[in-house]
Amino acid sequence: MVNFRRNFLQLMGATALTAAGFGLGATEALSADVTLRLHQFLPAQANVPKNILDPWADKIEAESGGRIEIQRFPAMQLGGKPPELIDQAIDGVADIVWTVAGYTPGRFPRAEVFELPFTMTDAGAMSRAYWDLAEETMMDNDFADFKVLGLWVHGPGVIHSSKPVESITDLNGVKLRAPTRVTNMLFEELGATPVGMPVPAIPEALSKGVVDATVIPWEVVGALKVAELVKNHTEFPDEAIYTTTFIFAMNKDKYESLPDDLKAVIDANSGAEFSAHAGAQMQQDDAGPRGGAVEMGNNIIELTTEQAAEWKAAAQPITDRWTVEMDEKGLDGTGLRQRANELLEKHSSM
């Protein structure tokens, strides 16, 4: 990640010097052969666009010598709703999208293996594992309709609630927003009443009492002002209770229309390394919003290993049920779990 940033800054400096040395005018310097529209669901000031998507787009523009321009459309400015993003990439409404795989339940079943409860400890390592498993099992199946640029997960999921949640029984009857099919299954199993909705809808849902709690990573808490809406935050030691899989995708026809040298620029900034960087960045960005909640005097509930063991045991039926579902669909849930765990162990030890 450090090298990614250092290279980016060096490249930007070199580009600026080159432009100055040749006396390029503003119009010439900004002209582009290709314009790409990047569409996503978070506000521009949120951590993912600010620290991952914008630096990625800036780097593409710089390495293409200005021949590629990437227009950024945050907060669904091109229209539609977050669950429509992946089809916008396929249909060409947008050229590039960042979205949650689970916003279209059941459409990307193999990716769900990384959302199973108490599986993730490090988002960078899991993002590498996600990319590797996708290359082995998903690119020609689940992801065949678009060009995959990156695949990653966020840092540890946290329960943010109006009333304290420490024991599993504290979830009984709680209306809780969860992001994906697997997480909805999980929290229903644990006694909550799941309410599915995209992340931008959380602040209004909390403020109006549509939900009593939500599960999101710390990194997006600041942008959504969740720590101002609820005062209790439940964290788990060791493995995270859940994480979410993301897809960063490009319209296939748009990618194929690029000349080879511009394809090479896109390719050089896509794949396993970028995915690992993005996952690690999201987990790193947990610290700021968490610190803000502490400064506000919010109640940070840090469960012990012994307490978490009860949650793990209660969550195990979800992993078992998912495995059976995948096996029944002919997707070899048992094999997917085994391979995902092998890849996680491999990348966690690196």
Side-chain angles (χ1 to χ4, degrees):
M1 183 170 64
V2 173
N3 289 337
F4 181 94
R5 289 178 174 165
R6 185 191 303 119
N7 293 341
F8 166 68
L9 292 171
Q10 291 173 342
L11 181 59
M12 289 298 289
T15 302
L17 289 171
T18 302
F22 284 93
L24 293 176
T27 302
E28 293 175 288
L30 293 175
S31 63
D33 298 336
V34 177
T35 299
L36 302 175
R37 295 158 299 168
L38 193 166
H39 200 202
Q40 54 90 16
F41 57 88
L42 287 179
Q45 69 272 20
N47 282 317
V48 169
K50 182 176 65 177
N51 295 335
I52 298 172
L53 303 181
D54 283 345
W56 179 88
D58 291 343
K59 196 163 183 284
I60 295 294
E61 291 177 339
E63 291 188 4
S64 71
R67 292 170 59 204
I68 296 177
E69 175 190 3
I70 300 183
Q71 298 175 344
R72 299 94 191 269
F73 295 92
M76 301 305 297
Q77 289 179 354
L78 286 180
K81 298 178 180 180
E84 298 169 12
L85 279 166
I86 198 65
D87 283 319
Q88 289 185 355
I90 294 169
D91 298 337
V93 174
D95 301 303
I96 300 170
V97 303
W98 174 65
T99 190
V100 173
Y103 278 173
T104 49
R107 189 165 179 177
F108 306 111
R110 294 172 179 85
E112 291 180 344
V113 69
F114 294 109
E115 297 180 350
L116 294 173
F118 298 104
T119 301
M120 194 274 288
T121 57
D122 178 82
M126 179 172 266
S127 297
R128 285 187 185 276
Y130 180 15
W131 182 271
D132 285 356
L133 190 64
E135 286 199 315
E136 293 176 10
T137 68
M138 303 178 211
M139 295 304 191
D140 296 328
N141 297 292
D142 305 52
F143 303 153
D145 293 332
F146 45 85
K147 166 73 174 175
V148 180
L149 303 175
L151 301 167
W152 65 87
V153 302
H154 62 59
V158 177
I159 302 172
H160 309 271
S161 55
S162 56
K163 295 180 179 180
V165 174
E166 187 167 337
S167 68
I168 298 171
T169 56
D170 292 331
L171 282 180
N172 288 343
V174 171
K175 294 176 292 182
L176 181 146
R177 175 270 175 189
T180 66
R181 189 182 80 91
V182 171
T183 49
N184 277 303
M185 289 165 53
L186 168 64
F187 286 100
E188 184 175 34
E189 179 73 20
L190 297 177
T193 301
V195 181
M197 66 181 70
V199 74
I202 291 173
E204 183 176 7
L206 285 172
S207 65
K208 292 185 175 181
V210 175
V211 295
D212 310 306
T214 185
V215 288
I216 49 174
W218 277 113
E219 63 86 22
V220 77
V221 162
L224 299 180
K225 301 187 182 302
V226 168
E228 299 172 20
L229 295 168
V230 298
K231 299 301 180 183
N232 301 282
H233 315 273
T234 304
E235 301 178 326
F236 291 78
D238 308 319
E239 298 90 354
I241 187 171
Y242 88 99
T243 190
T244 301
T245 54
F246 299 103
I247 300 172
F248 191 41
M250 183 172 181
N251 177 269
K252 260 193 169 180
D253 290 339
K254 193 69 174 184
Y255 173 79
E256 292 299 338
S257 73
L258 298 176
D260 287 346
D261 59 337
L262 294 186
K263 284 182 186 175
V265 173
I266 298 290
D267 292 346
N269 291 283
S270 304
E273 290 299 322
F274 171 67
S275 298
H277 159 74
Q281 183 67 53
M282 285 194 78
Q283 187 160 344
Q284 179 179 320
D285 287 336
D286 286 340
R290 187 187 189 282
V294 171
E295 289 179 6
M296 292 171 64
N298 286 13
N299 181 27
I300 312 295
I301 301 166
E302 301 178 78
L303 298 185
T304 66
T305 300
E306 290 74 22
Q307 288 174 311
E310 296 180 15
W311 288 75
K312 290 179 183 179
Q316 184 60 41
I318 297 305
T319 298
D320 298 339
R321 187 195 312 173
W322 181 89
T323 305
V324 171
E325 282 184 9
M326 295 303 110
D327 286 344
E328 289 176 347
K329 292 178 180 179
L331 299 180
D332 188 13
T334 304
L336 284 169
R337 280 184 57 207
Q338 180 178 343
R339 184 58 179 151
N341 287 332
E342 289 172 355
L343 291 167
L344 281 168
E345 183 177 354
K346 169 187 173 183
H347 291 301
S348 296
S349 63
M350 290 176 64

